[in-house]
Amino acid sequence: MSTQLNSKIPAGPLGDKWSSYKEDVKLVNPNNKRKFKVIVVGTGLAGASAAATLAELGYQVDAFTFHDSPRRAHSIAAQGGINAAKNYQGDGDSVHRLFHDTIKGGDFRAREANVHRLAEVSVNIIDQMVAQGVPFAREYGGLLDNRSFGGAQVSRTFYARGQTGQQLLLGAYQQLARQVGLGGVRLFNRSELVDVVTVEGRAAGIVVRDLITGEVTSHAAHAVVLATGGYGNAFFLSTNAMSCNVTAAWRAHRKGAYFANPCYTQIHPTCIPQSDEFQSKLTLMSESLRNDGRVWVPKNQDEKRSAADIPEEDRDYYLERLYPSYGNLAPRDISSRAAKRAVDKGLGVGPLKNGVYLDFADAIARLGKDVVKERYGNLFDMYERIAGENPYDMPMRMYPASHYTMGGLWVDYELMTSIPGLYAAGEANFSDHGANRLGASALMQGLADGYFVLPYTIGNYLAPMLNKAIPSVDHPEFKAAELAARERFTGYLNIGGTRSPDWFHREVGKIIWDYCGMERTEQGLEKALSELPALYDEFKKDLRVTGNGESLNQTLEKAGRVDDFFQLGMLMCRDALERQESCGGHFRAEYQTEEGEALRDDDKFCHVAAWEWSGDPMTAKRNIEELEFENVHLATRSYK
Amino acid sequence: MSNHLKDIILKIWRQNGPKDTGHFETYKVDEISDEASFLEMLDYLNEQLITDGKEAIVFDHDCREGICGTCSLMINGQAHGPERSTATCQLHMRKFSSGAEIVIEPWRAAAFPIIKDLMVDRSAFDRIIESGGFITSVTGGAPDANLIPIPKPVADSAMDSAECIGCGACVAACPNGAANLFTSAKIAHLNLLPQGQAERYKRAESMIEKMDEYFGSCTNHGECEAACPKEISIDVIALANADYRKAKLKNRKFISRI
Ligand SMILES: Cc1cc2nc3c(=O)[nH]c(=O)nc-3n(C[C@H](O)[C@H](O)[C@H](O)COP(=O)(O)OP(=O)(O)OC[C@H]3O[C@@H](n4cnc5c(N)ncnc54)[C@H](O)[C@@H]3O)c2cc1C
Ligand code: SF4
Ligand code: FES
């Protein structure tokens, strides 16, 4: 029997839920806030904004990051922009439209109430970030400029050149730094969470490994927030930064937090194709390029001519042909699969025939090179540095790559996981994007969670705990977790096998990519589920970690992360196997329409799968949360 | 199509911890594709070292897209290597040729102690930001974003300064180990914007004084600008200094009106 989960969605009409929640929520008196300690793990957009705001309110905050500075979090790499229902362009945008686009973009697999709240607070985010000095792009009149992104027919995306994530993170980091300077936040850098500790069923704190000294210590608090990012690096090659990993979420899962929809992963359509076997990561080219670039492949498999010499009649602008109303701005999952099909048919371009063209020749002719340079100059430069070709003269070559993970820790409306007092925010939770995330909505969600949701919902949990002491770090649960962590890391050092953690990461990533990537089948997933445990056994016997555990050791750090990717990989495949339908980023070849689009099964699968740890990912228990749609009509997604 | 480079000789700084004296060790990479990035070449070398039972070379890196500011190497004496306005992680082997001899060192500056091998501690930068590199704006109280129109040229120049990735190449390149380019870029970003005016002089004063606690002083060599992967212009230093001087004038109330 599976447990039905309570998402604690407030009663009342959709548009009133969040305001009535805020009116009813329990409050902590300003003078009492300093009696509470909150741990925030992760200092990306979600973590930095949460830590800064909680400290501003008066809570004592301890913030942890494995990076050397909060400013390095992976959020920094977001290029394209952030959505908000400001309707500054007067093109018909509204909170309701953003809500609707997000639900539809997520292929009707997200919670209505959460998504509506996200759309509501989106407007506050822009106000907040501008007040902090984020230099968003502006029109000549001095007002804010917008662009459009995939899956939307309005221009609601705010941007700062091609570095929106950088500018937003610097904004949130600066607010965090201000609180560190004022003493409201204690910052622990180069400190990696290696376990979550619960006492009497509630979150009591975390166990952390100091990456410089290898020392393992415990930290206790009244509540713990995990804002530790996504798990896209499970595939090894992805657009995520090298150190992104699932450890924090996975260790919480092992302590009782449910892991929701692990198979919902997003493959981004526009990344620079792999060029050789040394490749360590893939580079994303912002989706904003699809505003002006046109995607095409040659019609003929044996095409030998260079792009510029191929006449119009021999080109297939397949997105414009298949999805006329959205064209090159079709959502990511749809665009990615279309690219895969073209390449699988042998129509790929480039030396390895592993890409499709993204062509700016028409845009340059229409707008002039200067305008194109102004809009995308830094992206073009980046492409040239990596690919060694100049996109002003030659179309870019693109191929899909792992980019974002919609799945993550299950949270209720208050962003609390299934462990009381443990919260998850940003990409680490599963909450708002359903089976597919729209472009420019992750930054929005991270900042919404950290600035505008958690500061309210945490108070509701803490208020009744006034004057309740924090468990001591000498509590047996902490001691046991510390010991287990020390033993785990010494264990990796002692295996003395022959293969590096990177070698295993590459192999495990390849299995997940091949069978649980852009297209999944029952047969493939079963194969993965027999190969993964076998490779994991080999990992435990044949891993080689050189160096020691008492000084900085990146090989050892990596070993711990790869261990967790193995376990997560099994759960991803199990989740993909059990979900016998296609939706958003989860495409099961057995379930498709005649035109090759995702075919949902709303009767059987209109729910969230929330997996419960059982001691082994291969036997984890699948719980469900039914999704109810009262305000949108469950339709077949169409972008034609 | 990719070509392969052969016999690359690497002289790499190895230092076992902050207290160790450190030394160069020589390694050879027999063959590597010219499509590989510089850091992928180091990954490859590290894989070999691990296979040989040796400890991998420690170096800082993360995004590998030139934006997080984590990577930091002196390559043949140049911060971030030979390609202009390019961070180490964006440097590719096609910039080198077979048989090349490459010397790789960490950032060297008094304010950036070495943690291990090629990794240094740049937290002094965080201390500078904590001292005033922000606009005080309590969550929830902000007015509508379009209430303050900002002329495009102003927004653009604030953005030019805001592009700094906090890598520290400017400090490493400076003969005095000064952090004026980094600090001034942040001051300029916030002081140019209307939202930043209320704290303008206080910001310049606290940040520059905090910087002076850790870093050497600027004597206008200009090496910082040449090393900066984001092409932050040295003009920001003049701007920050001007604000600092004004902050130091006694009649601050008067100054805040001009
Ligand atoms: C190349 C790229 C471009 C993107 N572009 C866009 C875009 O244009 N628009 C958009 O909306 N979204 C974009 N995204 C997605 C978006 O950037 C991310 O989803 C979002 O920034 C995640 O923010 P976060 O705060 O949840 O996590 P992150 O920013 O990933 O932060 C995670 C934090 O957790 C810490 N951490 C993790 N594990 C541990 C641990 N075990 N112990 C201690 N600390 C830990 C890290 O140090 C870090 O501080 C992009 C993503 C990529 C990869
Ligand atoms: S000013 Fe340039 S060199 Fe200095 S930290 Fe910023 S980006 Fe790096
Ligand atoms: S690794 Fe991020 S800037 Fe080089």
Side-chain angles (χ1 to χ4, degrees), chain B residues 77-97:
Chain B
Q78 279 177 293
H80 289 306
E83 196 174 353
R84 257 192 98 92
S85 63
T86 301
T88 297
C89 59
Q90 295 282 81
L91 181 64
H92 279 69
M93 291 312 291
R94 62 178 87 88
K95 293 282 158 187
F96 297 88
S97 36

Side-chain angles (χ1 to χ4, degrees), chain B residues 125 163-171 181-182 185 224 227-230 232:
Chain B
F125 273 7
E163 288 200 21
C164 162
I165 58 174
C167 61
C170 45
V171 177
L181 195 64
F182 165 79
C224 51
C228 176
K230 292 292 150 187
I232 303 289

Side-chain angles (χ1 to χ4, degrees), chain A residues 362-431:
Chain A
D362 286 353
I364 293 171
R366 178 166 42 93
L367 303 164
K369 196 170 163 180
D370 287 345
V371 174
V372 170
K373 188 168 181 172
E374 157 112 15
R375 285 189 193 163
Y376 309 111
N378 66 322
L379 296 171
F380 279 32
D381 293 347
M382 177 145 128
Y383 179 85
E384 183 168 4
R385 256 182 236 121
I386 294 170
E389 289 168 359
N390 175 351
Y392 294 101
D393 304 333
M394 298 249 289
M396 293 180 171
R397 288 178 287 113
M398 295 287 141
Y399 196 66
S402 155
H403 174 62
Y404 181 87
T405 51
M406 284 74 68
L409 289 174
W410 182 87
V411 288
D412 62 19
Y413 187 72
E414 299 188 295
L415 304 186
M416 184 143 80
T417 66
S418 49
I419 300 176
L422 180 71
Y423 294 79
E427 195 175 338
N429 73 28
F430 88 110
S431 74

Side-chain angles (χ1 to χ4, degrees), chain A residues 72 76 241-242, chain B residues 39 60-72 80 87-90 165 167 229-230:
Chain A
R72 313 270 188 233
I76 202 103
M242 299 294 285
Chain B
L39 295 184
D60 249 333
H61 65 97
D62 197 20
C63 72
R64 300 208 174 184
E65 295 190 2
I67 193 74
C68 72
T70 315
C71 61
S72 52
H80 289 306
T88 297
C89 59
Q90 295 282 81
I165 58 174
C167 61
K230 292 292 150 187

Side-chain angles (χ1 to χ4, degrees), chain A residues 286-461:
Chain A
S286 169
E287 175 163 317
S288 61
L289 292 167
R290 291 199 277 143
N291 268 296
D292 290 308
R294 298 179 69 196
V295 177
W296 63 276
V297 289
K299 282 186 179 158
N300 183 349
Q301 291 173 349
D302 306 317
E303 186 58 73
K304 296 272 180 317
R305 291 169 288 188
S306 74
D309 299 332
I310 304 177
E312 284 293 311
E313 64 270 20
D314 291 338
R315 301 175 175 197
D316 181 10
Y317 293 90
Y318 58 85
L319 287 178
E320 295 170 22
R321 172 170 59 80
L322 294 166
Y323 310 102
S325 62
Y326 283 75
N328 293 295
L329 284 173
R332 294 179 172 175
D333 50 341
I334 290 182
S335 312
S336 290
R337 280 195 295 275
K340 177 177 175 358
R341 284 194 196 113
V343 169
D344 287 351
K345 271 193 230 147
L347 298 169
V349 301
L352 304 176
K353 284 181 86 65
N354 61 351
V356 300
Y357 284 131
L358 180 64
D359 197 339
F360 285 83
D362 286 353
I364 293 171
R366 178 166 42 93
L367 303 164
K369 196 170 163 180
D370 287 345
V371 174
V372 170
K373 188 168 181 172
E374 157 112 15
R375 285 189 193 163
Y376 309 111
N378 66 322
L379 296 171
F380 279 32
D381 293 347
M382 177 145 128
Y383 179 85
E384 183 168 4
R385 256 182 236 121
I386 294 170
E389 289 168 359
N390 175 351
Y392 294 101
D393 304 333
M394 298 249 289
M396 293 180 171
R397 288 178 287 113
M398 295 287 141
Y399 196 66
S402 155
H403 174 62
Y404 181 87
T405 51
M406 284 74 68
L409 289 174
W410 182 87
V411 288
D412 62 19
Y413 187 72
E414 299 188 295
L415 304 186
M416 184 143 80
T417 66
S418 49
I419 300 176
L422 180 71
Y423 294 79
E427 195 175 338
N429 73 28
F430 88 110
S431 74
D432 296 355
H433 307 294
N436 174 56
R437 173 177 71 78
L438 291 182
S441 286
L443 302 179
M444 168 172 76
Q445 183 226 331
L447 289 172
D449 289 358
Y451 275 130
F452 298 107
V453 180
L454 275 175
Y456 289 95
T457 61
I458 281 198
N460 199 35
Y461 172 76

